[in-house]
Amino acid sequence: MWTRGGRGRTVAALGAVAVLALPACSAEGGAEAPVESLLDKTSVTIGVKADQPGVGIGGDGVYEGFDVDVANYIVEELELPNVEFVSITSNEREARLGGDPDLPPGTPVKDPVDMVVATYSVTPARSTLVTFAGPYYVAKQDILVRKDDPRVKGVADLAGLEICQGEGSNSADRVVTELGIDANVLDVPDSYTYSDCVQLLKEGEIDAVTTDDLILAGFLDEDPEAFQFVNSPFTEERYGVGLPHGDVAGCEAVNRAIDKMFQSGEAERSLVRWFGETDLDLVMSVPQFEGCG
């Protein structure tokens, strides 16, 4: 079903016949139309990041990283058919799963995906728009600065400094809104990603980038002479597998695959492959699942 090469590189190919399950449905102020389950699909499109070293990077259907390894394991365990990997940004995830709150129910989804494995933190607001399996990892929010900058030792030191976040992310907003730290969040275009923010950091246009430690560790590993990791975590980020809202059967099947990935040791091998040479305190045990209801 899959061919591999290098550090976890995967190439989509034709898959086996899908396991069948009854369509799931959910209610929010009344019954919703039944949702076609991931398990009933005759082809599956999976959204992953394309610009985050160690997590999800690549293009043209070929991607690699920890998130891609997780997605690949789920595909093989569930025998999902005709799988295609596509790039997705933080700003697109809900909409491409059919959970855009600004569109009327039944509106055709532009460039739809069936599953998202893309450093997708589970939040109460997002959980009203999509169904989350997992989480498959609990990351910590941390900070990346330039190698020669001694000013930032912890999140409080971001006060008065210029920071940046990828569009659709909430990491920098969390610093300002939830923690009350008076940092200046750069106003960026809708197309901005964390790789754009890291490039601005390298060029001296901003002072710091703060987001999940797995994401930052990948950028640091790619250019250790340019950056340093503050290594002072201050929140938990529970990475979930995003599915269309109401796909309970698909969610439960994905959870079983995630549990098996950890129990078999494959999750640990993947984490060590991508982040074993960093200073991160990697979590090797399966996280407690959120529940699919």
Side-chain angles (χ1 to χ4, degrees), residues 15-166:
V17 178
V19 179
L20 297 180
L22 293 175
C25 61
S26 63
E28 185 175 326
E32 293 180 355
V35 175
E36 183 182 12
S37 175
L38 176 72
L39 305 178
D40 295 330
K41 297 284 184 177
T42 57
S43 63
V44 174
T45 304
I46 301 175
V48 294
K49 291 294 180 70
D51 67 326
Q52 295 179 351
V55 180
I57 193 165
D60 296 326
V62 181
Y63 300 85
E64 61 183 12
F66 175 61
D67 277 0
V68 181
D69 287 350
V70 172
N72 184 40
Y73 194 92
I74 292 168
V75 166
E76 292 179 345
E77 282 299 307
L78 303 189
E79 297 183 338
L80 300 179
N82 304 323
V83 175
E84 178 186 13
F85 280 81
V86 297
S87 304
I88 197 165
T89 67
S90 297
N91 199 39
E92 299 172 329
R93 292 176 297 201
E94 288 85 21
R96 293 179 68 178
L97 282 168
D100 190 336
D102 297 326
L103 295 178
T107 303
V109 178
K110 182 180 179 181
D111 298 324
V113 297
D114 303 298
M115 184 166 73
V116 170
V117 190
T119 59
Y120 200 2
S121 296
V122 179
T123 69
R126 290 170 177 168
S127 295
T128 67
L129 303 174
V130 304
T131 289
F132 281 108
Y136 59 90
Y137 193 77
V138 180
K140 307 285 186 180
Q141 186 168 341
D142 216 309
I143 305 165
L144 193 71
V145 296
R146 286 184 296 278
K147 188 81 166 183
D148 57 354
D149 190 344
R151 293 175 296 170
V152 181
K153 303 299 183 185
V155 65
D157 297 326
L158 294 176
L161 300 184
E162 193 89 8
I163 62 178
C164 172
Q165 68 182 5

